[in-house]
Amino acid sequence: MTNTASAPDNDAIFQEPEITETLGKEHGFSPEEYKKVFDILGRTPTFTEFGIFSVMWSEHCSYKSSRLHLKKLPTEASWIIQGPGENAGVIDIGDGKAAVFKMESHNHPSFIEPYQGAATGVGGIMRDVFTMGARPIANINALRFGDPDHPKTRHLVSGVVAGISGYGNCMGVPTVGGETNFHSAYNGNILVNAMTVGIAEQDKIYYARGASPDQPIVYIGSKTGRDGIHGATMSSAEFSEDSEEKRPTVQVGDPFTEKLLLEACLELMQEDAIISIQDMGAAGLTSSSVEIAAKGNIGVDLDLDKVPQRETNMTPYEIMLSESQERMLMILQPGKEEMARAIIEKWDLDFAVIGRTTDDKRLRLKMYGREWCDIPVPPLVDESPVYDRPQEPYDFAPAINDEEYDLPAGQTLADALETLMSCPDLASRQWIWEQYDSLVMGETVYSPGITETQASEGADAAIVRIPDTEKALAITSDCSPRYCYAHPFEGGKQAVAESYRNISATGAMPLAVTNNLNFGNPERPKIMAQFVGCIEGIGAACRDLHYPVTGGNVSLYNETNGEAILPTPTIGGVGVIQDWTKAASIPFKAAGEEIFLIGETKGHLGQSLYLREIHDIESGEAPHVDLEAEKTNASFVRQLIEDGLVTACHDISDGGLLAAIAEMAFDNEIGADLSNHTDKNAAFWFGEDQARYVLTTTDAKALKDKATLEKISLTYLGKTINSDIKIGDDLSISIKKLAKKNKNWLPCYMETGK
């Protein structure tokens, strides 16, 4: 079934272009990088060698603008099995099992071709996880689109959501959480961040490292075509008016083939035939072969004639740079090739021994009877560029006087809440979640995406059972880009803190994060200042919360014609709850329960959704994040849930306290009497102070006694009732009316554009 190369019928294959500085610029090289290639080789590179250097030294693959600063992130803890440097991070979740997870971006491809860009983003991150020997059990995503009024936004939303659902649903892996937001800063460059979590046995984890000389190199999966060539380079440059012309660099995915690849890899892993394994992701066969060589301190000889190909007359340059999907590179135990072939071909996939490892630390490529590449691997990797990009002093957003932004004349709290709950950032995402299968595999307990037609309810983090145990994983993704823009350090802290809160609000213990750092052009000092500030904020929060980073992805050059996105360092968090039946969810459960606020409220309106939606301004400082309060309050909430004192729990974030209460009221149409607080202003109800939770209980005395003992800031809000949200005798907010507006915005927008 394997189609390999035969003698070419096109002499142009042997006529490579001349290597010039102009060609170097087209390949993304700076003048200094161009010269360095010649210095390393001691000669003029071949076109194939030139292409290999270009993708390996691209921002997307080399992290040349970010490597210095990523070292500031904490990556170690007793429960970390594998931190940054492999396909995915790995943490110990007990009972000999490990959670394997990572988040990556597919931003540029999804803007150019939304369906395939999003679909292949999901496929790529799942391969990163099952390459490690883990079976994927959950997907989440974080999506950022432009202004709803922008002419491209509806098309992009439709295509991205269809691509995610089309790939994930076909793979049979539930999509259980995530976030979707809109802002004009993403008009020219949307963000599609995808995360996968899998489960593996701790003694059955596979790595790219570990190969030795004289071992067979095996290609499995789909055939190689010309799709995706220079995808990594395209993702390392900002967009301009000609972005549509880059459509051919977007890969084409096939989830049915990926499902076969998943099962074939996991079966082969059970036979102990694999020494090392690497997904062919960005830069395809180039990055996978170079990474295996670099991590094993070995060389690689490849016979490209033997690479399965679906197109004729492919050149070595095209084969090495292709980003065709659903492909893996493996180093096998010598002598197990035929056993491996039988397993792979049983799953109707291509299998080919395409080379051997060597002891000379060189990458050599042969095809059509000649040698096309002979590169020393160590300098290709170790001498890749590293830049300490200039930063300029950051112009932080000035503080505002919160008292000046009370409700506008003639507006009530009900009016403001209705506006907020039907705005693009708080409106229900049910239209999206109905397209994702969140219950496949049968282990999903809670998901923000469960719809009213399915037998479950939402929680602040997705809860997915760990098969054959009483435990469950809590999974979430979080970021507030407007905070990061106003104050990168505080915004970076807040993204981590919100992830920590969302997991804690379910009763789970937060263990580790992956991240997806989305920023504009790092060659602009303002953008670099944003990046470094956010990194340092993330690092501070992860250290103080004992919530280390296991890896992630950096996506730079997210801008079009010089207009950058908001700084968006998405945090994907994972935690564990020991007994999934104790996990807390968001909705109020019954009338007559008492409602409490945990955490201090000062009424911070800077950068709030209230300020934007009610007063039509985006201004003010980002809210300060008190990490000690975050840690203390989260620990208290987790203990309350463990002790069975909490019937519903929700962290307070976008829209503030009253928005959180509305979200708790929707699912079961149970309201709240908040009449104790008729004297409070808009800052109390809509401020976005951090480290806060709303919860309900049937044992208020026990809860108050514990709060007093542990010196927790606790505010009694009122009681749940069988009707609307009431604040005093004169204000009653209809839950049905509010819920209808909340649920209708997105489907109406997708149907009519309004």
Side-chain angles (χ1 to χ4, degrees):
M1 62 177 292
T2 299
N3 294 340
T4 53
S6 57
D9 55 18
N10 184 354
D11 289 340
I13 286 175
F14 297 102
Q15 298 171 9
E16 293 190 322
E18 182 183 359
I19 307 301
T20 64
E21 290 191 21
T22 299
L23 187 67
K25 187 175 181 180
E26 292 172 0
H27 280 67
F29 287 112
S30 70
E32 295 77 19
E33 291 167 358
Y34 176 83
K35 180 178 181 298
K36 196 171 188 179
V37 174
F38 285 74
D39 292 341
I40 287 172
L41 294 176
R43 56 175 171 79
T44 301
T46 68
F47 184 53
T48 301
E49 291 170 334
F50 201 61
I52 288 171
F53 272 98
S54 77
V55 293
M56 291 304 299
W57 288 7
S58 68
E59 190 74 62
H60 191 76
C61 291
S62 74
Y63 287 21
K64 57 191 175 186
S65 298
S66 59
R67 291 208 319 261
L68 280 176
H69 303 287
L70 294 175
K71 296 176 183 178
K72 301 173 183 178
L73 298 175
T75 60
E76 296 181 351
S78 61
W79 55 91
I80 302 294
I81 295 173
Q82 175 63 54
E86 276 288 344
N87 285 295
V90 186
I91 60 173
D92 183 349
I93 56 174
D95 304 316
K97 295 185 183 296
V100 180
F101 59 98
K102 192 179 182 185
M103 179 180 281
E104 284 202 344
S105 62
H106 233 218
N107 303 334
H108 288 64
S110 298
F111 183 78
I112 295 169
E113 214 306 303
Y115 183 94
Q116 290 296 348
T120 52
V122 172
I125 197 61
M126 281 198 275
R127 285 197 302 280
D128 281 341
V129 167
F130 72 75
T131 297
M132 302 287 290
R135 179 173 290 279
I137 65 165
N139 291 328
I140 69 172
N141 53 69
L143 312 177
R144 311 279 172 184
F145 297 103
D147 190 315
D149 291 333
H150 191 274
K152 279 192 174 182
T153 299
R154 264 202 309 162
H155 163 71
L156 292 169
V157 172
S158 178
V160 165
V161 171
I164 291 170
S165 64
Y167 210 102
N169 294 356
C170 289
M171 282 290 292
V173 177
T175 299
V176 298
E179 51 184 343
T180 303
N181 292 101
F182 299 83
H183 193 281
S184 59
Y186 305 98
N187 282 349
N189 200 125
I190 65 172
L191 302 184
V192 176
N193 298 169
M195 176 176 171
T196 295
V197 182
I199 299 293
E201 299 296 327
Q202 290 184 21
D203 60 354
K204 290 285 187 180
I205 295 170
Y206 287 83
Y207 303 94
R209 61 181 184 266
S212 301
D214 201 27
Q215 293 170 337
I217 303 171
V218 171
Y219 172 119
I220 70 168
S222 292
K223 291 178 172 61
T224 294
R226 291 185 171 93
D227 49 325
I229 292 174
H230 271 300
T233 307
M234 179 266 289
S235 295
S236 304
E238 64 180 82
F239 281 150
S240 60
E241 293 87 347
D242 65 352
S243 62
E244 293 296 323
E245 297 174 10
K246 298 177 181 177
R247 193 177 300 272
T249 64
V250 177
Q251 310 93 321
V252 177
D254 180 355
F256 299 104
T257 298
E258 177 124 334
K259 175 64 173 172
L260 299 177
L261 185 62
L262 162 65
E263 300 300 339
C265 286
L266 294 181
E267 181 176 343
L268 189 54
M269 287 167 176
Q270 295 303 310
E271 299 295 333
D272 290 326
I274 300 172
I275 295 171
S276 64
I277 180 171
Q278 180 69 42
D279 163 41
M280 292 191 214
L285 187 53
T286 289
S287 62
S288 56
S289 57
V290 169
E291 287 184 35
I292 281 177
K295 291 174 181 177
N297 204 27
I298 56 172
V300 167
D301 279 6
L302 299 181
D303 183 350
L304 300 186
D305 289 313
K306 296 180 179 178
V307 171
Q309 298 160 49
R310 68 167 184 263
E311 299 185 50
T312 60
N313 294 330
M314 290 193 72
T315 66
Y317 177 98
E318 292 171 331
I319 291 172
M320 292 302 292
L321 271 60
S322 167
E323 293 184 9
S324 295
Q325 297 292 286
E326 295 89 39
R327 302 179 300 157
M328 293 281 190
L329 195 68
M330 295 179 177
I331 309 297
L332 292 184
Q333 296 280 3
K336 294 197 174 183
E337 295 93 328
E338 292 311 309
M339 178 269 287
R341 181 188 299 275
I343 290 174
I344 299 303
E345 291 186 349
K346 179 186 74 173
W347 290 97
D348 202 27
L349 297 166
D350 281 292
F351 176 100
V353 178
I354 64 170
R356 292 193 79 79
T357 57
T358 66
D359 61 1
D360 61 5
K361 303 179 187 178
R362 300 188 78 85
L363 173 65
R364 291 192 181 89
L365 307 176
K366 295 179 181 177
M367 192 176 189
Y368 302 138
R370 61 177 274 191
E371 186 172 84
W372 300 78
C373 172
D374 184 358
I375 296 175
V377 172
L380 174 63
V381 175
D382 300 337
E383 295 183 32
S384 64
V386 178
Y387 296 118
D388 187 0
R389 303 281 192 191
Q391 304 167 49
E392 67 181 30
Y394 200 76
D395 187 14
F396 301 118
I400 62 169
N401 183 349
D402 295 319
E403 294 180 0
E404 294 180 3
Y405 292 96
D406 207 358
L407 291 170
Q411 276 207 28
T412 66
L413 285 174
D415 298 328
L417 182 61
E418 185 176 304
T419 298
L420 279 169
M421 300 312 296
S422 58
C423 80
D425 273 7
L426 288 182
S428 168
R429 304 300 188 239
Q430 184 171 321
W431 180 89
I432 294 174
W433 291 110
E434 285 179 337
Q435 299 181 56
Y436 301 156
D437 190 337
S438 55
L439 297 178
V440 65
M441 299 181 78
E443 303 293 352
T444 305
V445 179
Y446 293 136
S447 164
I450 298 292
T451 72
E452 60 190 6
T453 61
Q454 296 172 316
S456 191
E457 55 196 21
D460 276 330
I463 301 293
V464 181
R465 287 187 295 257
I466 301 169
D468 306 318
T469 74
E470 294 180 348
K471 299 178 182 178
L473 296 179
I475 309 165
T476 184
S477 69
D478 296 283
C479 186
S480 298
R482 62 189 186 276
Y483 297 167
C484 296
Y485 184 81
H487 197 297
F489 183 78
E490 288 297 328
K493 283 167 58 181
Q494 193 276 338
V496 174
E498 186 171 352
S499 169
Y500 193 84
R501 282 200 304 275
N502 279 329
I503 290 174
S504 296
T506 69
M509 180 67 203
L511 291 179
V513 306
T514 180
N515 57 51
N516 208 136
L517 308 175
N518 309 274
F519 291 82
N521 184 343
E523 298 169 51
R524 294 170 56 201
K526 178 180 178 179
I527 301 300
M528 205 62 210
Q530 290 176 351
F531 181 83
V532 174
C534 285
I535 282 280
E536 291 176 348
I538 291 168
C542 287
R543 272 187 295 273
D544 283 10
L545 298 174
H546 307 296
Y547 197 32
V549 178
T550 63
N553 174 250
V554 177
S555 176
L556 302 177
Y557 295 94
N558 287 290
E559 57 182 81
T560 299
N561 296 327
E563 294 294 321
I565 62 166
L566 295 178
T568 311
T570 307
I571 301 295
V574 176
V576 172
I577 187 167
Q578 298 300 314
D579 182 351
W580 66 265
T581 64
K582 292 185 176 182
S585 60
I586 292 172
F588 291 144
K589 303 301 186 295
E593 297 185 353
E594 295 186 273
I595 310 169
F596 288 90
L597 165 65
I598 291 175
E600 187 177 1
T601 299
K602 295 181 179 179
H604 183 95
L605 289 179
Q607 298 299 326
S608 65
L609 286 188
Y610 166 83
L611 204 63
R612 189 180 80 193
E613 297 298 325
I614 305 303
H615 291 278
D616 198 28
I617 61 171
E618 296 184 50
S619 184
E621 293 178 311
H624 174 69
V625 179
D626 182 337
L627 294 171
E628 191 59 37
E630 294 284 0
K631 187 161 49 177
T632 300
N633 293 352
S635 177
F636 182 68
V637 167
R638 292 195 300 269
Q639 189 60 57
L640 291 178
I641 294 170
E642 170 65 25
D643 293 344
L645 290 174
V646 174
T647 55
C649 187
H650 194 12
D651 93 302
I652 300 174
S653 55
D654 290 351
L657 172 61
L658 200 53
I661 288 171
E663 289 169 343
M664 298 176 84
F666 284 158
D667 279 12
N668 297 325
E669 293 189 2
I670 294 172
D673 187 342
L674 308 173
S675 297
N676 283 10
H677 301 284
T678 55
D679 60 331
K680 301 298 184 181
N681 59 14
F684 175 81
W685 294 112
F686 300 116
E688 295 180 6
D689 305 87
Q690 301 297 293
R692 297 187 301 160
Y693 304 78
V694 178
L695 54 80
T696 54
T697 184
T698 57
D699 192 345
K701 182 180 184 306
L703 192 152
K704 287 189 284 188
D705 287 347
K706 284 179 177 289
T708 300
L709 183 65
E710 298 190 29
K711 299 180 180 179
I712 298 294
S713 174
L714 185 72
T715 303
Y716 177 69
L717 294 176
K719 286 190 175 183
T720 55
I721 55 177
N722 278 320
S723 58
D724 300 332
I725 298 173
K726 294 185 177 181
I727 305 175
D729 296 331
D730 300 327
L731 183 64
S732 182
I733 303 171
S734 168
I735 294 171
K736 285 188 176 181
K737 179 182 177 183
L738 201 59
K740 183 177 180 181
K741 284 186 170 291
N742 178 258
K743 289 182 178 179
N744 284 351
W745 180 82
L746 188 53
C748 287
Y749 169 70
M750 293 307 297
E751 182 177 347
T752 67
K754 299 179 181 178

